[in-house]
Amino acid sequence: MNQKISSFQAIVLIVQTITPTAILTLPNLITNYSEQDAWISTLLATMMGVLLAMLFGAIGQRQGGMAFIPFLESRIGRISTVIVGLLLTQYYVVVMAEVLQEFSNFLADNILGETPRYLTMIIGMIIVLYAVYHGIEVIARVGVFIFMGANLLFVISMLLQLGNLHFPYLLPVGSIH
């Protein structure tokens, strides 16, 4: 089964993956460790992420369309690739568990206060497994639909809030209004 998605669909999926993590997970994790220096940690993590993305992009362009694991195997050997694969698997499982926990906490605290957290986690995992079963094309199509709908609702809500905006509050402290 060879499924393909467009560049726009890939961008939408990446934005929909990074944005909730950045809003729900990172502030909690960063402030737990760095407290009042959280802004510095965030800035450094962003710069490191951009550098890693550029590195991975450059590697991706040089490998000529070969998948990551076979590319790695051709460069560093089978045993090293298995070790890297196991480390990546462990990393993704830990990150997925953390994100699922934060998502469940968000739902329980803000929307579904009476619903047990383990139930929201189970339902979330069932939805993810169902989507994965149907493949990347279906996930991308649904993602684009949700992306467009969410942006439309955001624009409408901002237009409805225009009367409540106080633009002088955006000026620097001590400036003359």
Side-chain angles (χ1 to χ4, degrees), residues 8-169:
F8 177 71
Q9 289 173 324
I11 290 169
V12 167
L13 286 178
I14 291 170
V15 167
Q16 288 177 333
T17 303
I18 292 172
T19 304
T21 304
I23 292 171
L24 295 177
T25 306
L26 290 182
N28 185 28
L29 292 174
I30 290 172
T31 55
N32 282 344
Y33 294 108
S34 58
E35 297 171 357
Q36 68 195 39
D37 296 328
W39 70 274
I40 298 171
S41 299
T42 303
L43 186 63
L44 290 173
T46 301
M47 290 189 313
M48 189 64 165
V50 168
L51 290 174
L52 282 173
M54 290 170 59
L55 173 69
F56 293 152
I59 291 171
Q61 287 178 339
R62 298 182 106 220
Q63 69 186 10
M66 187 185 292
F68 178 68
I69 296 296
F71 169 75
L72 206 56
E73 187 174 347
S74 70
R75 299 288 187 205
I76 64 173
R78 182 152 182 85
I79 294 173
S80 299
T81 302
V82 169
I83 293 169
V84 169
L86 290 172
L87 289 173
L88 282 173
T89 301
Q90 185 266 344
Y91 168 76
Y92 288 127
V93 168
V94 168
V95 168
M96 187 271 316
E98 182 72 34
V99 169
L100 184 62
Q101 178 70 40
E102 291 296 327
F103 177 70
S104 177
N105 290 344
F106 175 77
L107 285 178
D109 292 343
N110 296 307
I111 300 169
L112 305 169
E114 301 297 319
T115 305
R117 290 173 198 242
Y118 71 87
L119 191 60
T120 58
M121 286 185 198
I122 290 170
I123 291 171
M125 283 307 299
I126 289 171
I127 292 169
V128 167
L129 292 173
Y130 180 77
V132 169
Y133 174 76
H134 286 287
I136 190 74
E137 284 183 2
V138 174
I139 295 171
R141 283 194 300 260
V142 171
V144 168
F145 178 74
I146 291 171
F147 183 75
M148 296 300 188
N151 284 329
L152 177 66
L153 290 175
F154 176 75
V155 168
I156 290 171
S157 68
M158 288 296 105
L159 290 174
L160 292 173
Q161 293 295 327
L162 276 178
N164 296 330
L165 292 178
H166 301 286
F167 290 105
Y169 291 169

